[in-house]
Amino acid sequence: MSHAAKVLLLGVDGLIPELVERFRTEGVLPNIQRLSDDGGATRLMPYISTWGDTNFVSFLTGQAPGTSWVGQGRSPYGTRHLLELMSTAGQRCALVHFPETLQPSGAGDFCFAPFWSGAGPAPMELAPACLHSTHLDQWPDIPQTEALGWPPSGTLAHHQKHNRFAIERAADGYHALIPFNRSEPVPVMLAQDGESRLVLSLGECQVSLGVDEWSAWLPCSTEQATGQVRFKLLAYDPDERRIDLLQSQITAPAPSSTQPELAERLIERHGPFISKWTVSADPDTRYFETSFDEARYQLEWLADSALTLLDDEDFQLFATVFRLNDETHHTCLAHCDPESVFFSSEEQARYLDVIRRSYQLLDDVVGQLLARRRDDTVIVLASDHGDVPNRYLCDIHRRLAEFDLCALDSQGRAVREHSRAFLKDERGGLEVFINRDLVPASDIPKVQTRILKALTTWYVDAPEGERNVVALAVKKQDASVLGYWGEHMGDVLFAYAPGFVWGSNERGDTIARVTTAGANHGPQVPSASTAFSSNHGLLIFNGRGVRAGAQLLFDASTGIQRMDSAGATCAQLLGLDTATLDGKPLVALLE
């Protein structure tokens, strides 16, 4: 086999194979069509939980969760995974805006702007992306009666943003404040400039803006740090004294990168990096179209940096993850899939068009990569999972409490020190741990059985009849068939049935119908699917060493491909020995 010297992994959060096929058939994804036709492709079955951290870590280590999954924000070390094999072989990897759960370990490796999942702003974020307005009543507060996602107190499933700030009227015009995270706010002045324009002043810089115009990137400094910011004037009515102004996220990623000088070169060459856009990609949200502007900027920045790092800085592997597509699924899929309780045939086209646009944006940048990559570079387009619509929220700690396994406080949260069984936030919400401080070793099997009883007898009366809440549940000693083992995993592993999602509500229900339209992936069994979408991932290789036109069949009844095998295939393309990897190279896709 001819080995490729370079691998460019464009990871896409939540890219759904069924929708890729739908849009390819429509003819609106010509570059992804070419990428697949001239390369090798297959679907991938995610591991439990069907989360980006779990599955992109498995992908890029080439190892199953039992070997490489420690927990969110906790990188594996010493397992001789793919990145460690590269370091031993003298090859360098660049992880750019990749999940923080996997950190490269080689002295020459590069880690830049890892996707932040911790509490509060990312260390590199100086100021959040914001909407400034003279009329904040355009965005009335919507009471939230339920929380979906893991941990269940979060709002992961809704991709909600709380980033709107007032523009104050003054005698000399208008004033806004950029809310820096770790220092005093920075003032922005706005003054009328003719009939339909505004002059924006930031420090010593001034720019004139009309409606729908973006400013250039402007320097923005505090005593602690310096970054760059740009603005878009969304609305201006001088008679009503109405202004809506978008302000980009402000970041300083170089100091926290593993190679600050290299990071500065990327920023100087390609512009400032943003990890978040200002407005959700939700057609029911005012100015949602701007999410496509900012997402395109981010994705083109990532593509440009990938080629710079591979071609000019002599890295052998580049990996990133782009998240717009997953966001459009969370906000729109429930309105598009006929099996969703929120589906409306009258509204389907409007929501589906938002998803389609996110796929077309991705396709545009795939085309740029195909046109510009060198002959020695294999492009890998891959997703970690898909999405399927939500139907019921499930409060796992309340369910365990009903079986006298978990103690709850007045807010319904688990009190770990008084609970025989609990879940850990960092492990993805589908592993139940037994409290060794309360349960003697001799009683562990009994408590495991009690947990299984709580899970396997959990049913709900649905309009179509009785439905099981949990699709599968196994004890730790039986979980190796699902890719789980080792000291980090829980005592019981489970996955929810299709349509069931982590969550809690104000009533304190153990299970309840969701009241807001949404779609999820993480909690539901990896094989979850409808006729419209699925939880499956997607994998396309294109380049030297890949068999053109190869299609590896994916059939749950005869054979499936897993995330770690995709990583092992990357290792083989890089000329590495794959013996320490759990995955096996997908040789049917290779020459």
Side-chain angles (χ1 to χ4, degrees):
M1 187 191 77
S2 175
H3 296 296
K6 315 268 186 176
V7 170
L8 192 165
L9 169 59
L10 175 53
V12 184
D13 190 12
L15 197 69
I16 298 175
E18 287 84 355
L19 293 185
V20 170
E21 186 58 37
R22 170 187 285 266
F23 299 143
R24 282 173 55 177
T25 301
E26 292 178 3
V28 299
L29 303 181
N31 297 305
I32 293 176
Q33 179 80 51
R34 180 158 64 98
L35 190 79
S36 179
D37 289 349
D38 296 343
T42 187
R43 291 192 185 201
L44 295 173
M45 182 67 79
Y47 282 107
I48 299 170
S49 73
T50 317
W51 242 12
D53 279 73
T54 309
N55 284 285
F56 272 128
V57 167
S58 178
F59 188 114
L60 205 54
T61 60
Q63 295 175 334
T67 302
S68 65
W69 171 236
V70 181
Q72 192 169 35
R74 304 180 183 190
S75 186
Y77 291 104
T79 64
R80 293 186 57 76
H81 59 68
L82 170 56
L83 302 189
E84 292 177 336
L85 295 178
M86 289 185 65
S87 179
T88 300
Q91 298 181 1
R92 298 195 301 155
C93 69
L95 272 56
V96 177
H97 201 45
F98 198 81
E100 60 173 342
T101 301
L102 185 60
Q103 298 287 324
S105 57
D109 292 341
F110 182 52
C111 183
F112 177 92
F115 183 77
W116 178 251
S117 59
M124 72 163 188
E125 183 185 85
L126 302 182
C130 298
L131 277 176
H132 302 272
S133 177
T134 54
H135 291 68
L136 291 178
D137 56 358
Q138 298 174 96
W139 296 274
D141 288 334
I142 300 174
Q144 185 179 343
T145 60
E146 62 186 16
L148 307 180
W150 186 263
S153 59
T155 57
L156 176 66
H158 300 297
H159 287 261
Q160 296 173 345
K161 296 179 185 288
H162 305 280
N163 59 350
R164 295 180 287 274
F165 296 86
I167 296 176
E168 303 292 346
R169 301 181 182 92
D172 58 346
Y174 304 86
H175 296 175
L177 293 173
I178 299 176
F180 271 67
N181 293 322
R182 302 170 189 89
S183 58
E184 293 299 312
V186 172
V188 176
M189 310 300 178
L190 299 161
Q192 189 166 348
D193 181 22
E195 292 296 321
S196 60
R197 303 183 69 82
L198 287 172
V199 172
L200 182 149
S201 300
L202 175 65
E204 297 181 358
C205 297
Q206 284 192 339
V207 294
S208 177
L209 286 176
V211 174
D212 290 333
E213 291 180 0
W214 283 96
S215 74
W217 288 98
L218 307 175
C220 188
S221 302
T222 69
E223 293 181 358
Q224 287 76 28
T226 298
Q228 297 184 66
V229 63
R230 66 174 183 165
F231 300 89
K232 184 175 186 178
L233 184 59
L234 302 174
Y236 176 47
D237 188 327
D239 295 330
E240 294 187 6
R241 304 187 72 186
R242 178 186 298 272
I243 299 173
D244 294 335
L245 181 71
L246 182 151
Q247 166 237 306
S248 72
Q249 183 190 37
I250 307 174
T251 67
S256 59
S257 73
T258 55
Q259 296 188 42
E261 292 184 0
L262 174 56
E264 290 288 3
R265 291 201 298 274
L266 289 178
I267 293 169
E268 182 177 349
R269 183 168 179 175
H270 302 302
F273 177 73
I274 59 169
S275 65
K276 297 180 179 180
W277 32 91
T278 310
V279 183
S280 295
D282 178 353
D284 296 324
T285 299
R286 187 182 296 270
Y287 304 126
F288 82 94
E289 299 90 347
T290 62
S291 64
F292 290 88
D293 293 345
E294 295 194 279
R296 179 178 292 276
Y297 174 87
Q298 184 199 80
L299 184 55
E300 290 182 344
W301 193 101
L302 292 168
D304 290 341
S305 295
L307 297 175
T308 295
L309 291 166
L310 292 171
D311 297 345
D312 301 337
E313 300 289 346
D314 199 29
F315 285 85
Q316 281 69 48
L317 169 69
F318 172 93
T320 191
V321 176
F322 178 61
R323 291 176 169 78
L324 176 69
N325 304 88
D326 183 64
E327 184 167 305
T328 64
H329 302 154
H330 283 290
T331 60
C332 298
L333 185 64
H335 298 283
C336 299
D337 191 329
E339 293 192 30
S340 167
V341 295
F342 298 96
F343 173 76
S344 165
S345 57
E346 293 79 13
E347 291 288 326
Q348 183 191 40
R350 181 168 71 95
Y351 288 98
L352 185 58
D353 186 59
V354 174
I355 298 177
R356 181 186 293 107
R357 286 174 60 187
S358 75
Y359 281 60
Q360 289 176 291
L361 191 159
L362 174 66
D363 185 77
D364 289 345
V365 178
V366 168
Q368 295 174 27
L369 290 173
L370 282 170
R372 297 168 56 198
R373 62 99 179 261
R374 291 182 178 173
D375 290 342
D376 64 352
T377 299
V378 171
I379 296 173
V380 184
L381 181 68
S383 63
D384 48 347
H385 55 72
D387 278 286
V388 287
N390 296 331
R391 191 166 182 181
Y392 292 92
L393 66 83
C394 311
D395 192 327
I396 180 61
H397 283 124
R398 289 190 184 276
R399 179 63 177 177
L400 294 175
E402 292 174 354
F403 283 73
D404 196 30
L405 290 163
C406 184
L408 306 178
D409 65 13
S410 60
Q411 302 299 314
R413 296 171 299 201
V415 182
R416 184 177 297 189
E417 60 269 26
H418 299 306
S419 299
R420 292 192 293 162
F422 58 88
L423 285 79
K424 295 181 178 180
D425 289 355
E426 71 274 11
R427 286 292 291 186
L430 295 177
E431 296 170 70
V432 185
F433 291 80
I434 295 175
N435 189 343
R436 264 65 177 176
D437 293 334
L438 295 181
V439 179
S442 59
D443 287 346
I444 296 296
K446 295 179 182 178
V447 177
Q448 280 184 305
T449 299
R450 184 72 173 168
I451 294 168
L452 280 183
K453 184 175 182 179
L455 296 173
T456 58
T457 60
W458 199 358
Y459 285 80
V460 64
D461 289 323
E464 67 274 19
E466 196 173 45
R467 289 196 60 189
N468 54 301
V469 174
V470 172
L472 60 87
V474 296
K475 297 179 181 180
K476 177 177 181 176
Q477 54 267 36
D478 302 319
S480 61
V481 295
L482 299 173
Y484 273 78
W485 53 78
E487 61 178 328
H488 299 294
M489 80 160 291
D491 294 282
V492 171
L493 177 71
F494 73 101
Y496 290 103
F500 294 82
V501 59
W502 308 290
S504 60
N505 61 19
E506 287 184 338
R507 294 194 306 267
D509 293 323
T510 301
I511 187 166
R513 280 182 174 270
V514 295
T515 59
T516 51
N520 258 85
H521 41 84
Q524 304 185 36
V525 64
S527 56
S529 66
T530 69
F532 192 87
S533 62
S534 74
N535 248 353
H536 302 158
L538 179 68
L539 176 67
I540 304 175
F541 286 97
N542 181 291
R544 197 175 78 187
V546 179
R547 182 177 299 169
Q551 298 288 323
L552 192 54
L553 294 179
F554 179 95
D555 187 338
S557 63
T558 59
I560 57 174
Q561 290 67 251
R562 305 303 300 251
M563 293 288 164
D564 49 3
S565 290
T569 309
C570 291
Q572 184 155 327
L573 286 167
L574 290 164
L576 301 172
D577 185 348
T578 63
T580 60
L581 307 183
D582 298 319
K584 303 303 177 187
L586 302 173
V587 294
L589 301 182
L590 305 179
E591 292 179 343

